[in-house]
Amino acid sequence: MSAPQRPTFGQYVGYLFGRTLPDELQDWVRQDLVGPGASVRYLIRFTLPILPILALFLLIPGPVWVPLAMMALLFLPLVYFAIALMQVYRRHRLHSHGLDPELVAEKAQRRADRVRDDYERRHGRG
């Protein structure tokens, strides 16, 4: 099986800003949103752009712990809400690309199925 076709640089930048990719890139979109490492990619894309802005706090005079504390007061809730909204965002992106939003839960469903099958096998119901 070959790797899915990748978007061009311009398409990728547009994708990062919320644009929908052409239908021939749906395999790549699916891999990006629900494949291995999708959660890590999402968090990096969500938090990385804010780091240079937060770094401006280091220009505030005084002890270094003051700007670091101010940065943490903004960064930690950002990460918290990014994690809390990850499934919602990924479902929205799948839907906007014409893919099934339930693909987000596919991995969890497979895990639940394995646990159920294991339980039934060990307790004589399989």
Side-chain angles (χ1 to χ4, degrees):
M1 186 168 131
S2 65
Q5 181 182 351
R6 296 184 54 86
T8 64
F9 179 74
Q11 289 173 324
Y12 183 71
V13 170
Y15 174 76
L16 291 178
F17 283 101
R19 292 192 65 202
T20 302
L21 293 176
D23 288 343
E24 61 265 12
L25 295 172
Q26 280 192 345
D27 288 339
W28 183 87
V29 171
R30 178 186 174 162
Q31 184 70 18
D32 182 60
L33 294 173
V34 296
S39 299
V40 173
R41 280 190 301 275
Y42 165 80
L43 286 174
I44 289 171
R45 289 176 187 160
F46 200 87
T47 57
L48 196 61
I50 197 72
L51 292 179
I53 296 167
L54 291 177
L56 294 174
F57 282 107
L58 295 173
L59 300 175
I60 295 174
V64 73
W65 68 268
V66 172
L68 289 177
M70 291 190 305
M71 291 167 62
L73 283 172
L74 294 172
F75 189 72
L76 293 176
L78 174 81
V79 171
Y80 175 81
F81 283 107
I83 291 170
L85 296 172
M86 182 180 341
Q87 304 296 62
V88 173
Y89 176 78
R90 289 166 58 196
R91 284 177 193 273
H92 166 71
R93 291 305 305 256
L94 285 166
H95 178 70
S96 68
H97 282 87
L99 296 166
D100 182 13
E102 293 305 315
L103 290 173
V104 170
E106 188 177 78
K107 184 177 178 181
Q109 184 61 47
R110 281 196 313 266
R111 187 180 318 120
D113 290 344
R114 276 196 313 271
V115 169
R116 186 191 68 241
D117 292 344
D118 183 52
Y119 175 86
E120 289 177 355
R121 182 179 41 78
R122 284 192 281 148
H123 296 286
R125 296 187 69 192

PDB file of all heavy atoms in Angstrom, residues 50-76:
ATOM      1  N   ILE A  50       1.626  30.296  19.499  1.00  0.00           N
ATOM      2  CA  ILE A  50       1.491  31.233  20.605  1.00  0.00           C
ATOM      3  C   ILE A  50       2.814  31.441  21.349  1.00  0.00           C
ATOM      4  O   ILE A  50       2.980  32.449  22.052  1.00  0.00           O
ATOM      5  CB  ILE A  50       0.367  30.781  21.576  1.00  0.00           C
ATOM      6  CG1 ILE A  50      -0.085  31.916  22.484  1.00  0.00           C
ATOM      7  CG2 ILE A  50       0.814  29.631  22.416  1.00  0.00           C
ATOM      8  CD1 ILE A  50      -0.883  32.958  21.803  1.00  0.00           C
ATOM      9  N   LEU A  51       3.769  30.534  21.195  1.00  0.00           N
ATOM     10  CA  LEU A  51       5.020  30.634  21.945  1.00  0.00           C
ATOM     11  C   LEU A  51       5.801  31.916  21.667  1.00  0.00           C
ATOM     12  O   LEU A  51       6.300  32.542  22.617  1.00  0.00           O
ATOM     13  CB  LEU A  51       5.877  29.396  21.714  1.00  0.00           C
ATOM     14  CG  LEU A  51       5.322  28.106  22.311  1.00  0.00           C
ATOM     15  CD1 LEU A  51       6.235  26.937  22.008  1.00  0.00           C
ATOM     16  CD2 LEU A  51       5.077  28.247  23.795  1.00  0.00           C
ATOM     17  N   PRO A  52       5.946  32.373  20.418  1.00  0.00           N
ATOM     18  CA  PRO A  52       6.661  33.642  20.214  1.00  0.00           C
ATOM     19  C   PRO A  52       5.963  34.830  20.880  1.00  0.00           C
ATOM     20  O   PRO A  52       6.624  35.738  21.395  1.00  0.00           O
ATOM     21  CB  PRO A  52       6.685  33.813  18.685  1.00  0.00           C
ATOM     22  CG  PRO A  52       6.466  32.459  18.141  1.00  0.00           C
ATOM     23  CD  PRO A  52       5.634  31.726  19.146  1.00  0.00           C
ATOM     24  N   ILE A  53       4.648  34.795  20.895  1.00  0.00           N
ATOM     25  CA  ILE A  53       3.912  35.880  21.546  1.00  0.00           C
ATOM     26  C   ILE A  53       4.155  35.840  23.050  1.00  0.00           C
ATOM     27  O   ILE A  53       4.403  36.870  23.683  1.00  0.00           O
ATOM     28  CB  ILE A  53       2.412  35.783  21.209  1.00  0.00           C
ATOM     29  CG1 ILE A  53       2.221  35.985  19.707  1.00  0.00           C
ATOM     30  CG2 ILE A  53       1.601  36.795  22.012  1.00  0.00           C
ATOM     31  CD1 ILE A  53       0.854  35.625  19.193  1.00  0.00           C
ATOM     32  N   LEU A  54       4.118  34.644  23.622  1.00  0.00           N
ATOM     33  CA  LEU A  54       4.379  34.517  25.051  1.00  0.00           C
ATOM     34  C   LEU A  54       5.820  34.887  25.398  1.00  0.00           C
ATOM     35  O   LEU A  54       6.092  35.395  26.488  1.00  0.00           O
ATOM     36  CB  LEU A  54       4.071  33.102  25.534  1.00  0.00           C
ATOM     37  CG  LEU A  54       2.604  32.694  25.534  1.00  0.00           C
ATOM     38  CD1 LEU A  54       2.464  31.246  25.960  1.00  0.00           C
ATOM     39  CD2 LEU A  54       1.780  33.602  26.423  1.00  0.00           C
ATOM     40  N   ALA A  55       6.736  34.638  24.477  1.00  0.00           N
ATOM     41  CA  ALA A  55       8.140  34.972  24.725  1.00  0.00           C
ATOM     42  C   ALA A  55       8.342  36.476  24.913  1.00  0.00           C
ATOM     43  O   ALA A  55       9.313  36.900  25.546  1.00  0.00           O
ATOM     44  CB  ALA A  55       9.010  34.455  23.590  1.00  0.00           C
ATOM     45  N   LEU A  56       7.424  37.273  24.408  1.00  0.00           N
ATOM     46  CA  LEU A  56       7.529  38.726  24.602  1.00  0.00           C
ATOM     47  C   LEU A  56       7.452  39.108  26.078  1.00  0.00           C
ATOM     48  O   LEU A  56       7.960  40.156  26.474  1.00  0.00           O
ATOM     49  CB  LEU A  56       6.442  39.451  23.805  1.00  0.00           C
ATOM     50  CG  LEU A  56       6.554  39.358  22.287  1.00  0.00           C
ATOM     51  CD1 LEU A  56       5.346  39.999  21.624  1.00  0.00           C
ATOM     52  CD2 LEU A  56       7.848  40.007  21.820  1.00  0.00           C
ATOM     53  N   PHE A  57       6.846  38.266  26.899  1.00  0.00           N
ATOM     54  CA  PHE A  57       6.800  38.529  28.335  1.00  0.00           C
ATOM     55  C   PHE A  57       8.198  38.552  28.950  1.00  0.00           C
ATOM     56  O   PHE A  57       8.408  39.155  29.997  1.00  0.00           O
ATOM     57  CB  PHE A  57       5.941  37.489  29.064  1.00  0.00           C
ATOM     58  CG  PHE A  57       4.472  37.721  28.921  1.00  0.00           C
ATOM     59  CD1 PHE A  57       3.707  36.900  28.109  1.00  0.00           C
ATOM     60  CD2 PHE A  57       3.850  38.755  29.598  1.00  0.00           C
ATOM     61  CE1 PHE A  57       2.347  37.111  27.977  1.00  0.00           C
ATOM     62  CE2 PHE A  57       2.481  38.972  29.472  1.00  0.00           C
ATOM     63  CZ  PHE A  57       1.729  38.149  28.655  1.00  0.00           C
ATOM     64  N   LEU A  58       9.150  37.885  28.309  1.00  0.00           N
ATOM     65  CA  LEU A  58      10.516  37.876  28.829  1.00  0.00           C
ATOM     66  C   LEU A  58      11.168  39.251  28.749  1.00  0.00           C
ATOM     67  O   LEU A  58      12.204  39.490  29.373  1.00  0.00           O
ATOM     68  CB  LEU A  58      11.351  36.839  28.078  1.00  0.00           C
ATOM     69  CG  LEU A  58      10.906  35.388  28.277  1.00  0.00           C
ATOM     70  CD1 LEU A  58      11.684  34.471  27.359  1.00  0.00           C
ATOM     71  CD2 LEU A  58      11.064  34.970  29.731  1.00  0.00           C
ATOM     72  N   LEU A  59      10.572  40.161  27.999  1.00  0.00           N
ATOM     73  CA  LEU A  59      11.097  41.524  27.900  1.00  0.00           C
ATOM     74  C   LEU A  59      10.697  42.388  29.089  1.00  0.00           C
ATOM     75  O   LEU A  59      11.196  43.506  29.239  1.00  0.00           O
ATOM     76  CB  LEU A  59      10.632  42.173  26.592  1.00  0.00           C
ATOM     77  CG  LEU A  59      11.065  41.461  25.309  1.00  0.00           C
ATOM     78  CD1 LEU A  59      10.432  42.126  24.104  1.00  0.00           C
ATOM     79  CD2 LEU A  59      12.577  41.429  25.197  1.00  0.00           C
ATOM     80  N   ILE A  60       9.815  41.915  29.930  1.00  0.00           N
ATOM     81  CA  ILE A  60       9.378  42.673  31.103  1.00  0.00           C
ATOM     82  C   ILE A  60      10.515  42.675  32.113  1.00  0.00           C
ATOM     83  O   ILE A  60      11.057  41.628  32.458  1.00  0.00           O
ATOM     84  CB  ILE A  60       8.097  42.064  31.708  1.00  0.00           C
ATOM     85  CG1 ILE A  60       6.952  42.199  30.706  1.00  0.00           C
ATOM     86  CG2 ILE A  60       7.753  42.706  33.046  1.00  0.00           C
ATOM     87  CD1 ILE A  60       5.682  41.512  31.126  1.00  0.00           C
ATOM     88  N   PRO A  61      10.891  43.844  32.586  1.00  0.00           N
ATOM     89  CA  PRO A  61      12.003  43.902  33.542  1.00  0.00           C
ATOM     90  C   PRO A  61      11.604  43.307  34.895  1.00  0.00           C
ATOM     91  O   PRO A  61      10.440  43.302  35.275  1.00  0.00           O
ATOM     92  CB  PRO A  61      12.301  45.397  33.656  1.00  0.00           C
ATOM     93  CG  PRO A  61      11.067  46.084  33.197  1.00  0.00           C
ATOM     94  CD  PRO A  61      10.368  45.168  32.249  1.00  0.00           C
ATOM     95  N   GLY A  62      12.615  42.836  35.603  1.00  0.00           N
ATOM     96  CA  GLY A  62      12.384  42.269  36.924  1.00  0.00           C
ATOM     97  C   GLY A  62      12.899  40.846  36.986  1.00  0.00           C
ATOM     98  O   GLY A  62      13.548  40.354  36.065  1.00  0.00           O
ATOM     99  N   PRO A  63      12.584  40.182  38.070  1.00  0.00           N
ATOM    100  CA  PRO A  63      13.039  38.790  38.209  1.00  0.00           C
ATOM    101  C   PRO A  63      12.436  37.924  37.102  1.00  0.00           C
ATOM    102  O   PRO A  63      11.298  38.136  36.685  1.00  0.00           O
ATOM    103  CB  PRO A  63      12.510  38.356  39.579  1.00  0.00           C
ATOM    104  CG  PRO A  63      11.975  39.567  40.235  1.00  0.00           C
ATOM    105  CD  PRO A  63      11.830  40.642  39.217  1.00  0.00           C
ATOM    106  N   VAL A  64      13.191  36.946  36.640  1.00  0.00           N
ATOM    107  CA  VAL A  64      12.768  36.124  35.509  1.00  0.00           C
ATOM    108  C   VAL A  64      11.520  35.303  35.844  1.00  0.00           C
ATOM    109  O   VAL A  64      10.752  34.947  34.951  1.00  0.00           O
ATOM    110  CB  VAL A  64      13.930  35.227  35.013  1.00  0.00           C
ATOM    111  CG1 VAL A  64      14.200  34.101  35.970  1.00  0.00           C
ATOM    112  CG2 VAL A  64      13.648  34.704  33.621  1.00  0.00           C
ATOM    113  N   TRP A  65      11.269  35.024  37.126  1.00  0.00           N
ATOM    114  CA  TRP A  65      10.104  34.211  37.480  1.00  0.00           C
ATOM    115  C   TRP A  65       8.792  34.944  37.212  1.00  0.00           C
ATOM    116  O   TRP A  65       7.763  34.301  36.985  1.00  0.00           O
ATOM    117  CB  TRP A  65      10.180  33.715  38.926  1.00  0.00           C
ATOM    118  CG  TRP A  65      10.053  34.786  39.957  1.00  0.00           C
ATOM    119  CD1 TRP A  65      11.067  35.486  40.544  1.00  0.00           C
ATOM    120  CD2 TRP A  65       8.842  35.285  40.520  1.00  0.00           C
ATOM    121  NE1 TRP A  65      10.564  36.397  41.434  1.00  0.00           N
ATOM    122  CE2 TRP A  65       9.195  36.297  41.450  1.00  0.00           C
ATOM    123  CE3 TRP A  65       7.502  34.989  40.341  1.00  0.00           C
ATOM    124  CZ2 TRP A  65       8.248  37.000  42.181  1.00  0.00           C
ATOM    125  CZ3 TRP A  65       6.567  35.696  41.082  1.00  0.00           C
ATOM    126  CH2 TRP A  65       6.935  36.678  41.983  1.00  0.00           C
ATOM    127  N   VAL A  66       8.812  36.278  37.204  1.00  0.00           N
ATOM    128  CA  VAL A  66       7.578  37.035  36.976  1.00  0.00           C
ATOM    129  C   VAL A  66       7.069  36.825  35.544  1.00  0.00           C
ATOM    130  O   VAL A  66       5.912  36.432  35.352  1.00  0.00           O
ATOM    131  CB  VAL A  66       7.763  38.530  37.311  1.00  0.00           C
ATOM    132  CG1 VAL A  66       6.540  39.333  36.884  1.00  0.00           C
ATOM    133  CG2 VAL A  66       8.047  38.704  38.794  1.00  0.00           C
ATOM    134  N   PRO A  67       7.896  37.069  34.503  1.00  0.00           N
ATOM    135  CA  PRO A  67       7.385  36.799  33.149  1.00  0.00           C
ATOM    136  C   PRO A  67       7.094  35.317  32.908  1.00  0.00           C
ATOM    137  O   PRO A  67       6.146  34.975  32.194  1.00  0.00           O
ATOM    138  CB  PRO A  67       8.482  37.312  32.218  1.00  0.00           C
ATOM    139  CG  PRO A  67       9.645  37.618  33.049  1.00  0.00           C
ATOM    140  CD  PRO A  67       9.207  37.716  34.465  1.00  0.00           C
ATOM    141  N   LEU A  68       7.885  34.419  33.526  1.00  0.00           N
ATOM    142  CA  LEU A  68       7.610  32.990  33.363  1.00  0.00           C
ATOM    143  C   LEU A  68       6.263  32.626  33.981  1.00  0.00           C
ATOM    144  O   LEU A  68       5.505  31.830  33.414  1.00  0.00           O
ATOM    145  CB  LEU A  68       8.725  32.156  33.985  1.00  0.00           C
ATOM    146  CG  LEU A  68      10.070  32.184  33.247  1.00  0.00           C
ATOM    147  CD1 LEU A  68      11.110  31.379  34.005  1.00  0.00           C
ATOM    148  CD2 LEU A  68       9.928  31.680  31.830  1.00  0.00           C
ATOM    149  N   ALA A  69       5.944  33.215  35.123  1.00  0.00           N
ATOM    150  CA  ALA A  69       4.651  32.949  35.753  1.00  0.00           C
ATOM    151  C   ALA A  69       3.508  33.496  34.898  1.00  0.00           C
ATOM    152  O   ALA A  69       2.465  32.848  34.749  1.00  0.00           O
ATOM    153  CB  ALA A  69       4.612  33.564  37.145  1.00  0.00           C
ATOM    154  N   MET A  70       3.702  34.680  34.317  1.00  0.00           N
ATOM    155  CA  MET A  70       2.662  35.246  33.452  1.00  0.00           C
ATOM    156  C   MET A  70       2.466  34.374  32.212  1.00  0.00           C
ATOM    157  O   MET A  70       1.332  34.164  31.762  1.00  0.00           O
ATOM    158  CB  MET A  70       3.022  36.683  33.059  1.00  0.00           C
ATOM    159  CG  MET A  70       2.943  37.645  34.228  1.00  0.00           C
ATOM    160  SD  MET A  70       3.087  39.387  33.807  1.00  0.00           S
ATOM    161  CE  MET A  70       4.590  39.477  32.922  1.00  0.00           C
ATOM    162  N   MET A  71       3.576  33.877  31.665  1.00  0.00           N
ATOM    163  CA  MET A  71       3.483  32.990  30.505  1.00  0.00           C
ATOM    164  C   MET A  71       2.721  31.715  30.865  1.00  0.00           C
ATOM    165  O   MET A  71       1.863  31.262  30.108  1.00  0.00           O
ATOM    166  CB  MET A  71       4.890  32.645  29.999  1.00  0.00           C
ATOM    167  CG  MET A  71       5.614  33.812  29.371  1.00  0.00           C
ATOM    168  SD  MET A  71       7.375  33.533  29.119  1.00  0.00           S
ATOM    169  CE  MET A  71       7.375  32.179  27.989  1.00  0.00           C
ATOM    170  N   ALA A  72       3.017  31.166  32.037  1.00  0.00           N
ATOM    171  CA  ALA A  72       2.356  29.937  32.463  1.00  0.00           C
ATOM    172  C   ALA A  72       0.865  30.167  32.683  1.00  0.00           C
ATOM    173  O   ALA A  72       0.049  29.299  32.362  1.00  0.00           O
ATOM    174  CB  ALA A  72       3.000  29.403  33.744  1.00  0.00           C
ATOM    175  N   LEU A  73       0.508  31.349  33.210  1.00  0.00           N
ATOM    176  CA  LEU A  73      -0.901  31.654  33.448  1.00  0.00           C
ATOM    177  C   LEU A  73      -1.707  31.706  32.153  1.00  0.00           C
ATOM    178  O   LEU A  73      -2.921  31.515  32.166  1.00  0.00           O
ATOM    179  CB  LEU A  73      -1.045  32.974  34.195  1.00  0.00           C
ATOM    180  CG  LEU A  73      -0.731  32.921  35.690  1.00  0.00           C
ATOM    181  CD1 LEU A  73      -0.724  34.330  36.273  1.00  0.00           C
ATOM    182  CD2 LEU A  73      -1.734  32.050  36.401  1.00  0.00           C
ATOM    183  N   LEU A  74      -1.058  31.973  31.058  1.00  0.00           N
ATOM    184  CA  LEU A  74      -1.736  31.978  29.764  1.00  0.00           C
ATOM    185  C   LEU A  74      -1.593  30.634  29.039  1.00  0.00           C
ATOM    186  O   LEU A  74      -2.539  30.155  28.411  1.00  0.00           O
ATOM    187  CB  LEU A  74      -1.189  33.098  28.883  1.00  0.00           C
ATOM    188  CG  LEU A  74      -1.477  34.512  29.376  1.00  0.00           C
ATOM    189  CD1 LEU A  74      -0.731  35.526  28.539  1.00  0.00           C
ATOM    190  CD2 LEU A  74      -2.959  34.787  29.345  1.00  0.00           C
ATOM    191  N   PHE A  75      -0.409  30.038  29.141  1.00  0.00           N
ATOM    192  CA  PHE A  75      -0.133  28.824  28.374  1.00  0.00           C
ATOM    193  C   PHE A  75      -0.880  27.602  28.917  1.00  0.00           C
ATOM    194  O   PHE A  75      -1.412  26.808  28.140  1.00  0.00           O
ATOM    195  CB  PHE A  75       1.375  28.560  28.345  1.00  0.00           C
ATOM    196  CG  PHE A  75       1.763  27.458  27.417  1.00  0.00           C
ATOM    197  CD1 PHE A  75       1.703  27.635  26.041  1.00  0.00           C
ATOM    198  CD2 PHE A  75       2.193  26.233  27.901  1.00  0.00           C
ATOM    199  CE1 PHE A  75       2.056  26.623  25.167  1.00  0.00           C
ATOM    200  CE2 PHE A  75       2.552  25.207  27.038  1.00  0.00           C
ATOM    201  CZ  PHE A  75       2.481  25.404  25.674  1.00  0.00           C
ATOM    202  N   LEU A  76      -0.909  27.431  30.218  1.00  0.00           N
ATOM    203  CA  LEU A  76      -1.545  26.248  30.797  1.00  0.00           C
ATOM    204  C   LEU A  76      -3.041  26.165  30.481  1.00  0.00           C
ATOM    205  O   LEU A  76      -3.513  25.092  30.079  1.00  0.00           O
ATOM    206  CB  LEU A  76      -1.280  26.174  32.298  1.00  0.00           C
ATOM    207  CG  LEU A  76       0.185  25.911  32.656  1.00  0.00           C
ATOM    208  CD1 LEU A  76       0.382  25.950  34.159  1.00  0.00           C
ATOM    209  CD2 LEU A  76       0.663  24.607  32.077  1.00  0.00           C
TER     210      LEU A  76
END
